[in-house]
Amino acid sequence: MPYARPTLTDLRQQVVQDVQNGGIPGVVTLLRFSVLWVLAMVQAGLAHLHYGYLDWISKQAVPWTATDEWLEAWGALKSIYRKEAATATGSIAFTISSNADIPIGTSIIAGGVTVITTSDSVISGTTATVACAASEAGASGNIALGAIATLSSPIAGVQTSGTVTVAFTGGADQEEDEDLRDRIMAAYAKGGANGSSADYVGWAEAVAGVTRAWVNPLGAGAGTVVVYVMLDSVRSANGGFPQGTDGAAAAESRYQAATGDQLLVANAIYTERPVTALVIVCAPIAQAVNFTVSDLGDDNTSDNQAAITSALQDMFRRLSAPGGTIHPNYWNEALAAIGLDQFNVTSPSAPVVASSTGSMPVLGTVEFAS
């Protein structure tokens, strides 16, 4: 059975009892605020700190409870490393009235984010286009196509306001301990890399921002491996679906190159995959599933509606996959866990089957009825 760590109160009582029961000859009771009482409390406090330190050490001794740099050390033994924050990149176009140039290092505010030009502008007619990178790494640097951009300081001959012409992609926050731990435990459970489906999933999920991945062997013909990815946090505004076009790595001569998020993943897998494999990275196709939850009775409140929606979203994230099937018992179990007195899912009334190999069921609208 697990060791029951004594609380600070337990330790204080134990020290006081030890003193009173013969720890110091002639002492049968302790007055509060006496010297012996104060010393007893100090000793109990020090013992409590020692127990805390030992507790912390025990957690770092195994990968499933280790944290911070100790967790990273366990991962390094399996060549699994924490995903560092990544910087988003994209392009912005400005209208110019002459052969004005936007130099490298120019600061621009785009979509509320400060970005810096990484090269001199490319001029075509009355338009100057500049490649940019977010000034700080992180998911906040991802900027949608068409967002308004403004020069931080005016430049002669350049209109102050421009437009994002290539969406800023690739920005991701540093990986949290929980996500890193999942990848480390999977590596310890799996063993060495040999080009299995689990290896492709691991290579994809090692890319900053990628939270889920699936593999379809021979998905585009003999010798191919199709990898589907989701970026639930980085692309939360798009339902977690990657932004870009499907394809292979930039160095792959046998297939068209991907763009955006798909290209980042394809390039990462390219150096890891078995040498003959043609890896194609794709975004799943969202297949919205609308729900009608009735017979709620008095449980048809705004709080319960929010809880039902959250439970269904969590179910789809855990169980949905490209080409997969969602069965009624999945959503019934998810809703039963909320603790509702009664409910009835009238739609859908049968298993939800993906309409194609790349389609993935996701939550659509949810209607409620008493």
Side-chain angles (χ1 to χ4, degrees):
M1 60 181 296
Y3 177 75
R5 174 185 168 183
T7 65
L8 179 58
T9 300
D10 294 334
L11 292 170
R12 287 175 172 174
Q13 292 175 347
Q14 180 178 337
V15 173
V16 170
Q17 289 173 358
D18 289 343
V19 173
Q20 292 175 340
N21 295 336
I24 299 178
V27 177
V28 295
T29 186
L30 292 180
L31 297 177
R32 191 174 184 184
F33 303 126
S34 67
V35 174
L36 285 179
W37 175 273
V38 172
L39 291 176
M41 296 303 102
V42 170
Q43 182 176 343
L46 290 174
H48 187 260
L49 289 176
H50 292 157
Y51 275 110
Y53 180 58
L54 293 172
D55 193 26
W56 179 82
I57 290 176
S58 68
K59 289 182 178 179
Q60 312 312 317
V62 287
W64 52 86
T65 54
T67 58
D68 303 321
E69 67 270 22
W70 298 92
L71 178 62
E72 294 175 0
W74 281 107
L77 296 177
K78 285 290 187 177
S79 298
I80 303 296
Y81 304 98
R82 188 186 300 274
K83 303 177 192 176
E84 295 298 329
T87 302
T89 58
S91 295
I92 300 174
F94 291 89
T95 300
I96 58 176
S97 57
S98 62
N99 289 328
D101 178 54
I102 303 175
I104 184 174
T106 300
S107 177
I108 302 171
I109 306 298
V113 178
T114 300
V115 301
I116 307 297
T117 60
T118 55
S119 64
D120 292 337
S121 59
V122 177
I123 298 174
S124 176
T126 59
T127 301
T129 303
V130 284
C132 305
S135 61
E136 296 183 0
S140 60
N142 295 315
I143 307 170
L145 179 69
I148 301 300
T150 306
L151 291 172
S152 296
S153 300
I155 298 176
V158 180
Q159 186 173 317
T160 304
S161 180
T163 305
V164 174
T165 54
V166 175
F168 281 70
T169 60
D173 296 327
Q174 185 182 62
E175 187 174 24
E176 298 288 343
D177 277 359
E178 290 76 12
D179 297 325
L180 175 60
R181 185 178 294 107
D182 288 342
R183 296 198 295 120
I184 291 173
M185 294 307 300
Y188 275 99
K190 178 176 66 67
N194 54 20
S196 65
S197 294
D199 289 332
Y200 282 95
V201 170
W203 294 330
E205 291 182 347
V207 178
V210 176
T211 53
R212 291 182 286 166
W214 303 268
V215 176
N216 182 13
L218 309 180
T224 66
V225 178
V226 176
V227 180
Y228 297 95
V229 295
M230 289 288 284
L231 297 85
D232 296 290
S233 298
V234 174
R235 296 299 181 194
S236 58
N238 298 289
F241 289 86
Q243 298 300 292
T245 58
D246 301 340
E252 179 61 76
S253 61
R254 296 171 293 174
Y255 201 83
Q256 66 183 14
T259 64
D261 296 327
Q262 290 92 313
L263 179 61
L264 294 176
V265 179
N267 285 343
I269 295 178
Y270 185 78
T271 58
E272 304 287 347
R273 92 243 185 276
V275 66
T276 58
L278 171 56
V279 182
I280 303 169
V281 179
C282 300
I285 303 170
Q287 179 177 325
V289 181
N290 299 327
F291 275 75
T292 300
V293 182
S294 60
D295 298 338
L296 289 170
D298 293 338
D299 283 337
N300 191 18
T301 64
S302 57
D303 288 344
N304 283 333
Q305 291 178 3
I308 290 171
T309 301
S310 178
L312 291 175
Q313 289 173 336
D314 176 71
M315 177 205 66
F316 276 104
R317 176 166 178 170
R318 289 184 293 104
L319 303 175
S320 188
T325 300
I326 300 294
H327 296 279
N329 61 298
Y330 295 168
W331 59 71
N332 285 326
E333 290 174 358
L335 297 184
I338 298 175
L340 301 171
D341 291 334
Q342 60 184 30
F343 69 89
N344 181 31
V345 178
T346 57
S347 179
S349 57
V352 176
V353 181
S355 58
S356 65
T357 301
S359 297
M360 186 171 74
V362 297
L363 181 63
T365 62
V366 182
E367 296 182 359
F368 305 93
S370 299

